Amino acid sequence: MRRSFRRSLRSLCIAVAALFAVVAAQPAAAFCLFNCFYTKTKHPIVLAHGLAGSEEYLGILDYWFGIENALEDGGANVFVTQVSPLNTPQARGEQLIDQIETILAVTGKTKVNLIGHSQGGLDIRYVAATRPDLVASVTTVGSPHKGADLADFLAAGYSGGGF
């Protein structure tokens, strides 16, 4: 009986080592062993960038730092939008509405989940208030909902086309 137990224990250890080797070689697979669709949503996810943002921040870094890929790897349908980098939330929100309508036409869905960073949070709030029929959810990250001291300083110092 001891021999049988040792053989079983040895087989179990080999199986665990093999599983560890597979997971170590492909880290993303570790999350898919039990649930490959942990970020899948009923509606597409729309990412809205902040002030002076774009798909590549300053033309160097991925603005969303891999968030788009991580969500897609988990089963989400993700769209990164692009609005004018420096404009009002109303103007940027209208640009966002145009892109959301295109996303809905392409996907055949009726609503989107909006995620906005910084000023993008103000933009998506505008969209939600103006076109609630397009919006399933609103999530803001680091958005200045109560204003920003820097914006107040700049607005106070600006007159006659300069500071």
Side-chain angles (χ1 to χ4, degrees), residues 9-91:
L9 185 58
R10 182 174 177 221
S11 296
L12 178 63
C13 288
I14 290 170
V16 168
L19 179 62
F20 179 75
V22 168
V23 170
Q26 298 176 9
F31 298 108
C32 280
L33 288 176
F34 302 105
N35 185 2
C36 292
F37 301 103
Y38 65 100
T39 63
K40 185 175 174 105
T41 58
K42 180 178 178 181
H43 306 287
I45 295 173
V46 172
L47 301 177
H49 65 77
L51 179 74
S54 66
E55 284 188 45
E56 286 187 343
Y57 195 63
L58 302 174
I60 301 168
L61 299 171
D62 172 20
Y63 183 90
W64 293 100
F65 299 102
I67 292 171
E68 174 189 7
N69 293 335
L71 290 169
E72 287 175 342
D73 288 347
N77 194 4
V78 182
F79 294 86
V80 175
T81 56
Q82 180 65 49
V83 297
S84 44
L86 303 170
N87 216 324
T88 65
Q90 293 83 3

Side-chain angles (χ1 to χ4, degrees), residues 110-155:
T110 58
K111 295 180 183 247
V112 295
N113 295 304
L114 296 172
I115 300 176
H117 170 250
S118 192
Q119 186 180 359
L122 304 179
D123 303 342
I124 66 172
R125 284 180 57 194
Y126 173 85
V127 171
T130 307
R131 292 292 308 274
D133 58 305
L134 303 177
V135 180
S137 70
V138 172
T139 303
T140 65
V141 180
S143 297
H145 297 294
K146 294 183 179 182
D149 292 339
L150 177 60
D152 293 340
F153 171 77
L154 294 175

